Amino acid sequence: MFGIIVGTHGEFANGIIESAQMILGEGLVNPGVRSVVLKRGEGPENVIEKYKKAIEELGNPKRVLFLNDLRGGTPYNAASTLAVGDENYGIVAGVNFPMLIAMVQEQMTDDGSATIKELMEKAVEAGKEGISMVTFEDLNAPPAEDEDEL
């Protein structure tokens, strides 16, 4: 199983993981996912140490996927410091709820054959697919004949 570390500014990481537990169940999310939060007054060194501790808590998995909130932010930069030294570490910036759900589900079926790059590509695709726009017109349009009503 690959490890997932959600690294964000503030408590966003904890909140998104808690939300995933509501959908998937705590037992499915807890084993392979950790949060790392950057608090006011902390710097990159603090986050790097938190990442190292999270990796250790995950059992030092061969592959680690860092899901960060913002490219170029401190959590991302700290993950980059670790990833530059290990080809099995990957970073995806712009974490969202559909991305995290998809990657936890990917963990459940992981047989170890997917490369970190393949996992990153799946994360990005899930994140993109989870974004949608619904307009006033969409909400007020009559249902198509072939659509079931909710």
PDB file of all heavy atoms in Angstrom, residues 19-48:
ATOM      1  N   SER A  19     -13.728  14.393   6.694  1.00  0.00           N
ATOM      2  CA  SER A  19     -14.836  14.259   5.747  1.00  0.00           C
ATOM      3  C   SER A  19     -14.752  12.945   4.982  1.00  0.00           C
ATOM      4  O   SER A  19     -15.768  12.283   4.756  1.00  0.00           O
ATOM      5  CB  SER A  19     -14.843  15.443   4.775  1.00  0.00           C
ATOM      6  OG  SER A  19     -15.083  16.642   5.465  1.00  0.00           O
ATOM      7  N   ALA A  20     -13.548  12.551   4.590  1.00  0.00           N
ATOM      8  CA  ALA A  20     -13.375  11.267   3.896  1.00  0.00           C
ATOM      9  C   ALA A  20     -13.782  10.113   4.799  1.00  0.00           C
ATOM     10  O   ALA A  20     -14.380   9.131   4.339  1.00  0.00           O
ATOM     11  CB  ALA A  20     -11.923  11.114   3.438  1.00  0.00           C
ATOM     12  N   GLN A  21     -13.481  10.229   6.085  1.00  0.00           N
ATOM     13  CA  GLN A  21     -13.879   9.186   7.036  1.00  0.00           C
ATOM     14  C   GLN A  21     -15.400   9.081   7.115  1.00  0.00           C
ATOM     15  O   GLN A  21     -15.937   7.979   7.271  1.00  0.00           O
ATOM     16  CB  GLN A  21     -13.288   9.482   8.415  1.00  0.00           C
ATOM     17  CG  GLN A  21     -11.791   9.319   8.464  1.00  0.00           C
ATOM     18  CD  GLN A  21     -11.163   9.865   9.730  1.00  0.00           C
ATOM     19  OE1 GLN A  21     -11.719  10.727  10.400  1.00  0.00           O
ATOM     20  NE2 GLN A  21      -9.985   9.366  10.051  1.00  0.00           N
ATOM     21  N   MET A  22     -16.098  10.198   6.986  1.00  0.00           N
ATOM     22  CA  MET A  22     -17.569  10.179   7.014  1.00  0.00           C
ATOM     23  C   MET A  22     -18.122   9.410   5.817  1.00  0.00           C
ATOM     24  O   MET A  22     -19.113   8.700   5.937  1.00  0.00           O
ATOM     25  CB  MET A  22     -18.121  11.607   7.021  1.00  0.00           C
ATOM     26  CG  MET A  22     -17.847  12.359   8.307  1.00  0.00           C
ATOM     27  SD  MET A  22     -18.347  14.099   8.224  1.00  0.00           S
ATOM     28  CE  MET A  22     -20.128  13.934   8.097  1.00  0.00           C
ATOM     29  N   ILE A  23     -17.482   9.549   4.682  1.00  0.00           N
ATOM     30  CA  ILE A  23     -17.955   8.896   3.447  1.00  0.00           C
ATOM     31  C   ILE A  23     -17.503   7.437   3.368  1.00  0.00           C
ATOM     32  O   ILE A  23     -18.295   6.546   3.065  1.00  0.00           O
ATOM     33  CB  ILE A  23     -17.449   9.659   2.200  1.00  0.00           C
ATOM     34  CG1 ILE A  23     -17.935  11.113   2.192  1.00  0.00           C
ATOM     35  CG2 ILE A  23     -17.818   8.937   0.909  1.00  0.00           C
ATOM     36  CD1 ILE A  23     -19.422  11.295   2.057  1.00  0.00           C
ATOM     37  N   LEU A  24     -16.233   7.188   3.637  1.00  0.00           N
ATOM     38  CA  LEU A  24     -15.649   5.857   3.425  1.00  0.00           C
ATOM     39  C   LEU A  24     -15.581   5.002   4.679  1.00  0.00           C
ATOM     40  O   LEU A  24     -15.394   3.796   4.584  1.00  0.00           O
ATOM     41  CB  LEU A  24     -14.239   5.998   2.844  1.00  0.00           C
ATOM     42  CG  LEU A  24     -14.146   6.690   1.489  1.00  0.00           C
ATOM     43  CD1 LEU A  24     -12.694   6.917   1.112  1.00  0.00           C
ATOM     44  CD2 LEU A  24     -14.868   5.889   0.422  1.00  0.00           C
ATOM     45  N   GLY A  25     -15.666   5.623   5.825  1.00  0.00           N
ATOM     46  CA  GLY A  25     -15.518   4.895   7.074  1.00  0.00           C
ATOM     47  C   GLY A  25     -14.140   5.128   7.655  1.00  0.00           C
ATOM     48  O   GLY A  25     -13.137   5.112   6.941  1.00  0.00           O
ATOM     49  N   GLU A  26     -14.092   5.347   8.943  1.00  0.00           N
ATOM     50  CA  GLU A  26     -12.833   5.670   9.600  1.00  0.00           C
ATOM     51  C   GLU A  26     -11.786   4.584   9.418  1.00  0.00           C
ATOM     52  O   GLU A  26     -10.619   4.848   9.188  1.00  0.00           O
ATOM     53  CB  GLU A  26     -13.076   5.924  11.092  1.00  0.00           C
ATOM     54  CG  GLU A  26     -11.874   6.467  11.802  1.00  0.00           C
ATOM     55  CD  GLU A  26     -12.180   6.961  13.195  1.00  0.00           C
ATOM     56  OE1 GLU A  26     -13.332   7.346  13.463  1.00  0.00           O
ATOM     57  OE2 GLU A  26     -11.259   6.942  14.011  1.00  0.00           O
ATOM     58  N   GLY A  27     -12.205   3.339   9.473  1.00  0.00           N
ATOM     59  CA  GLY A  27     -11.270   2.228   9.359  1.00  0.00           C
ATOM     60  C   GLY A  27     -10.606   2.129   7.999  1.00  0.00           C
ATOM     61  O   GLY A  27      -9.518   1.587   7.877  1.00  0.00           O
ATOM     62  N   LEU A  28     -11.247   2.655   6.965  1.00  0.00           N
ATOM     63  CA  LEU A  28     -10.669   2.596   5.629  1.00  0.00           C
ATOM     64  C   LEU A  28      -9.690   3.738   5.380  1.00  0.00           C
ATOM     65  O   LEU A  28      -8.787   3.624   4.557  1.00  0.00           O
ATOM     66  CB  LEU A  28     -11.770   2.629   4.568  1.00  0.00           C
ATOM     67  CG  LEU A  28     -12.739   1.453   4.589  1.00  0.00           C
ATOM     68  CD1 LEU A  28     -13.824   1.641   3.551  1.00  0.00           C
ATOM     69  CD2 LEU A  28     -11.996   0.155   4.342  1.00  0.00           C
ATOM     70  N   VAL A  29      -9.886   4.843   6.069  1.00  0.00           N
ATOM     71  CA  VAL A  29      -9.056   6.022   5.830  1.00  0.00           C
ATOM     72  C   VAL A  29      -7.841   6.058   6.749  1.00  0.00           C
ATOM     73  O   VAL A  29      -6.749   6.402   6.339  1.00  0.00           O
ATOM     74  CB  VAL A  29      -9.896   7.314   5.981  1.00  0.00           C
ATOM     75  CG1 VAL A  29      -9.035   8.552   5.796  1.00  0.00           C
ATOM     76  CG2 VAL A  29     -11.064   7.311   4.992  1.00  0.00           C
ATOM     77  N   ASN A  30      -8.010   5.691   7.985  1.00  0.00           N
ATOM     78  CA  ASN A  30      -6.939   5.844   8.976  1.00  0.00           C
ATOM     79  C   ASN A  30      -5.647   5.101   8.676  1.00  0.00           C
ATOM     80  O   ASN A  30      -4.576   5.631   8.927  1.00  0.00           O
ATOM     81  CB  ASN A  30      -7.439   5.460  10.367  1.00  0.00           C
ATOM     82  CG  ASN A  30      -8.232   6.567  11.004  1.00  0.00           C
ATOM     83  OD1 ASN A  30      -8.268   7.685  10.512  1.00  0.00           O
ATOM     84  ND2 ASN A  30      -8.883   6.265  12.102  1.00  0.00           N
ATOM     85  N   PRO A  31      -5.669   3.869   8.174  1.00  0.00           N
ATOM     86  CA  PRO A  31      -4.398   3.140   8.041  1.00  0.00           C
ATOM     87  C   PRO A  31      -3.373   3.786   7.120  1.00  0.00           C
ATOM     88  O   PRO A  31      -2.188   3.748   7.400  1.00  0.00           O
ATOM     89  CB  PRO A  31      -4.817   1.778   7.491  1.00  0.00           C
ATOM     90  CG  PRO A  31      -6.250   1.654   7.783  1.00  0.00           C
ATOM     91  CD  PRO A  31      -6.804   3.046   7.796  1.00  0.00           C
ATOM     92  N   GLY A  32      -3.803   4.359   6.034  1.00  0.00           N
ATOM     93  CA  GLY A  32      -2.839   4.820   5.042  1.00  0.00           C
ATOM     94  C   GLY A  32      -2.809   6.304   4.768  1.00  0.00           C
ATOM     95  O   GLY A  32      -2.198   6.731   3.789  1.00  0.00           O
ATOM     96  N   VAL A  33      -3.458   7.101   5.617  1.00  0.00           N
ATOM     97  CA  VAL A  33      -3.532   8.545   5.368  1.00  0.00           C
ATOM     98  C   VAL A  33      -3.130   9.299   6.629  1.00  0.00           C
ATOM     99  O   VAL A  33      -3.565   8.948   7.730  1.00  0.00           O
ATOM    100  CB  VAL A  33      -4.955   8.972   4.942  1.00  0.00           C
ATOM    101  CG1 VAL A  33      -5.015  10.463   4.664  1.00  0.00           C
ATOM    102  CG2 VAL A  33      -5.430   8.182   3.736  1.00  0.00           C
ATOM    103  N   ARG A  34      -2.334  10.333   6.438  1.00  0.00           N
ATOM    104  CA  ARG A  34      -1.946  11.205   7.548  1.00  0.00           C
ATOM    105  C   ARG A  34      -2.099  12.655   7.112  1.00  0.00           C
ATOM    106  O   ARG A  34      -2.002  12.965   5.924  1.00  0.00           O
ATOM    107  CB  ARG A  34      -0.492  10.962   7.981  1.00  0.00           C
ATOM    108  CG  ARG A  34      -0.238   9.615   8.606  1.00  0.00           C
ATOM    109  CD  ARG A  34      -0.934   9.477   9.959  1.00  0.00           C
ATOM    110  NE  ARG A  34      -0.705   8.198  10.576  1.00  0.00           N
ATOM    111  CZ  ARG A  34      -1.421   7.102  10.363  1.00  0.00           C
ATOM    112  NH1 ARG A  34      -2.412   7.116   9.506  1.00  0.00           N
ATOM    113  NH2 ARG A  34      -1.160   5.977  11.011  1.00  0.00           N
ATOM    114  N   SER A  35      -2.303  13.511   8.083  1.00  0.00           N
ATOM    115  CA  SER A  35      -2.377  14.948   7.811  1.00  0.00           C
ATOM    116  C   SER A  35      -1.159  15.636   8.392  1.00  0.00           C
ATOM    117  O   SER A  35      -0.628  15.225   9.423  1.00  0.00           O
ATOM    118  CB  SER A  35      -3.651  15.549   8.410  1.00  0.00           C
ATOM    119  OG  SER A  35      -3.622  15.460   9.825  1.00  0.00           O
ATOM    120  N   VAL A  36      -0.737  16.669   7.710  1.00  0.00           N
ATOM    121  CA  VAL A  36       0.315  17.548   8.203  1.00  0.00           C
ATOM    122  C   VAL A  36      -0.184  18.968   7.988  1.00  0.00           C
ATOM    123  O   VAL A  36      -0.551  19.333   6.861  1.00  0.00           O
ATOM    124  CB  VAL A  36       1.650  17.313   7.468  1.00  0.00           C
ATOM    125  CG1 VAL A  36       2.647  18.421   7.773  1.00  0.00           C
ATOM    126  CG2 VAL A  36       2.228  15.958   7.857  1.00  0.00           C
ATOM    127  N   VAL A  37      -0.219  19.743   9.066  1.00  0.00           N
ATOM    128  CA  VAL A  37      -0.710  21.117   8.966  1.00  0.00           C
ATOM    129  C   VAL A  37       0.396  22.101   9.320  1.00  0.00           C
ATOM    130  O   VAL A  37       1.181  21.884  10.233  1.00  0.00           O
ATOM    131  CB  VAL A  37      -1.950  21.364   9.857  1.00  0.00           C
ATOM    132  CG1 VAL A  37      -3.096  20.455   9.442  1.00  0.00           C
ATOM    133  CG2 VAL A  37      -1.643  21.165  11.328  1.00  0.00           C
ATOM    134  N   LEU A  38       0.429  23.160   8.550  1.00  0.00           N
ATOM    135  CA  LEU A  38       1.326  24.274   8.825  1.00  0.00           C
ATOM    136  C   LEU A  38       0.555  25.253   9.704  1.00  0.00           C
ATOM    137  O   LEU A  38      -0.506  25.741   9.316  1.00  0.00           O
ATOM    138  CB  LEU A  38       1.750  24.960   7.527  1.00  0.00           C
ATOM    139  CG  LEU A  38       2.501  26.280   7.672  1.00  0.00           C
ATOM    140  CD1 LEU A  38       3.883  26.046   8.292  1.00  0.00           C
ATOM    141  CD2 LEU A  38       2.626  26.977   6.319  1.00  0.00           C
ATOM    142  N   LYS A  39       1.089  25.521  10.884  1.00  0.00           N
ATOM    143  CA  LYS A  39       0.457  26.461  11.805  1.00  0.00           C
ATOM    144  C   LYS A  39       1.181  27.800  11.749  1.00  0.00           C
ATOM    145  O   LYS A  39       2.343  27.869  11.329  1.00  0.00           O
ATOM    146  CB  LYS A  39       0.499  25.896  13.229  1.00  0.00           C
ATOM    147  CG  LYS A  39      -0.292  24.623  13.382  1.00  0.00           C
ATOM    148  CD  LYS A  39      -0.225  24.089  14.794  1.00  0.00           C
ATOM    149  CE  LYS A  39      -1.027  22.787  14.890  1.00  0.00           C
ATOM    150  NZ  LYS A  39      -0.960  22.227  16.238  1.00  0.00           N
ATOM    151  N   ARG A  40       0.485  28.839  12.185  1.00  0.00           N
ATOM    152  CA  ARG A  40       1.103  30.172  12.244  1.00  0.00           C
ATOM    153  C   ARG A  40       2.413  30.105  13.014  1.00  0.00           C
ATOM    154  O   ARG A  40       2.501  29.461  14.044  1.00  0.00           O
ATOM    155  CB  ARG A  40       0.179  31.155  12.922  1.00  0.00           C
ATOM    156  CG  ARG A  40      -1.025  31.525  12.100  1.00  0.00           C
ATOM    157  CD  ARG A  40      -1.805  32.653  12.793  1.00  0.00           C
ATOM    158  NE  ARG A  40      -3.072  32.880  12.155  1.00  0.00           N
ATOM    159  CZ  ARG A  40      -3.245  33.655  11.083  1.00  0.00           C
ATOM    160  NH1 ARG A  40      -2.224  34.272  10.557  1.00  0.00           N
ATOM    161  NH2 ARG A  40      -4.444  33.799  10.563  1.00  0.00           N
ATOM    162  N   GLY A  41       3.415  30.758  12.478  1.00  0.00           N
ATOM    163  CA  GLY A  41       4.699  30.820  13.144  1.00  0.00           C
ATOM    164  C   GLY A  41       5.630  29.671  12.808  1.00  0.00           C
ATOM    165  O   GLY A  41       6.788  29.677  13.212  1.00  0.00           O
ATOM    166  N   GLU A  42       5.133  28.668  12.090  1.00  0.00           N
ATOM    167  CA  GLU A  42       5.983  27.547  11.706  1.00  0.00           C
ATOM    168  C   GLU A  42       6.600  27.808  10.337  1.00  0.00           C
ATOM    169  O   GLU A  42       6.083  28.590   9.543  1.00  0.00           O
ATOM    170  CB  GLU A  42       5.187  26.241  11.665  1.00  0.00           C
ATOM    171  CG  GLU A  42       4.728  25.758  13.014  1.00  0.00           C
ATOM    172  CD  GLU A  42       4.000  24.440  12.952  1.00  0.00           C
ATOM    173  OE1 GLU A  42       3.390  24.113  11.913  1.00  0.00           O
ATOM    174  OE2 GLU A  42       4.038  23.722  13.970  1.00  0.00           O
ATOM    175  N   GLY A  43       7.691  27.110  10.089  1.00  0.00           N
ATOM    176  CA  GLY A  43       8.374  27.236   8.810  1.00  0.00           C
ATOM    177  C   GLY A  43       8.587  25.886   8.162  1.00  0.00           C
ATOM    178  O   GLY A  43       8.119  24.858   8.663  1.00  0.00           O
ATOM    179  N   PRO A  44       9.306  25.872   7.064  1.00  0.00           N
ATOM    180  CA  PRO A  44       9.540  24.635   6.316  1.00  0.00           C
ATOM    181  C   PRO A  44      10.159  23.526   7.156  1.00  0.00           C
ATOM    182  O   PRO A  44       9.783  22.358   6.998  1.00  0.00           O
ATOM    183  CB  PRO A  44      10.491  25.061   5.198  1.00  0.00           C
ATOM    184  CG  PRO A  44      10.308  26.521   5.063  1.00  0.00           C
ATOM    185  CD  PRO A  44       9.916  27.031   6.406  1.00  0.00           C
ATOM    186  N   GLU A  45      11.084  23.873   8.047  1.00  0.00           N
ATOM    187  CA  GLU A  45      11.740  22.844   8.865  1.00  0.00           C
ATOM    188  C   GLU A  45      10.731  22.089   9.717  1.00  0.00           C
ATOM    189  O   GLU A  45      10.840  20.869   9.889  1.00  0.00           O
ATOM    190  CB  GLU A  45      12.784  23.430   9.820  1.00  0.00           C
ATOM    191  CG  GLU A  45      13.578  24.623   9.457  1.00  0.00           C
ATOM    192  CD  GLU A  45      12.868  25.949   9.245  1.00  0.00           C
ATOM    193  OE1 GLU A  45      12.115  26.454  10.094  1.00  0.00           O
ATOM    194  OE2 GLU A  45      13.097  26.502   8.182  1.00  0.00           O
ATOM    195  N   ASN A  46       9.762  22.845  10.263  1.00  0.00           N
ATOM    196  CA  ASN A  46       8.727  22.211  11.083  1.00  0.00           C
ATOM    197  C   ASN A  46       7.904  21.228  10.261  1.00  0.00           C
ATOM    198  O   ASN A  46       7.596  20.123  10.712  1.00  0.00           O
ATOM    199  CB  ASN A  46       7.790  23.263  11.693  1.00  0.00           C
ATOM    200  CG  ASN A  46       8.506  24.297  12.521  1.00  0.00           C
ATOM    201  OD1 ASN A  46       8.717  25.410  12.050  1.00  0.00           O
ATOM    202  ND2 ASN A  46       8.897  23.944  13.739  1.00  0.00           N
ATOM    203  N   VAL A  47       7.562  21.637   9.055  1.00  0.00           N
ATOM    204  CA  VAL A  47       6.726  20.790   8.201  1.00  0.00           C
ATOM    205  C   VAL A  47       7.512  19.562   7.741  1.00  0.00           C
ATOM    206  O   VAL A  47       6.967  18.455   7.702  1.00  0.00           O
ATOM    207  CB  VAL A  47       6.157  21.585   7.008  1.00  0.00           C
ATOM    208  CG1 VAL A  47       5.299  20.697   6.119  1.00  0.00           C
ATOM    209  CG2 VAL A  47       5.339  22.772   7.502  1.00  0.00           C
ATOM    210  N   ILE A  48       8.769  19.728   7.423  1.00  0.00           N
ATOM    211  CA  ILE A  48       9.595  18.581   7.028  1.00  0.00           C
ATOM    212  C   ILE A  48       9.632  17.553   8.155  1.00  0.00           C
ATOM    213  O   ILE A  48       9.472  16.348   7.915  1.00  0.00           O
ATOM    214  CB  ILE A  48      11.019  19.034   6.633  1.00  0.00           C
ATOM    215  CG1 ILE A  48      10.979  19.806   5.315  1.00  0.00           C
ATOM    216  CG2 ILE A  48      11.965  17.834   6.529  1.00  0.00           C
ATOM    217  CD1 ILE A  48      12.267  20.534   4.971  1.00  0.00           C
TER     218      ILE A  48
END
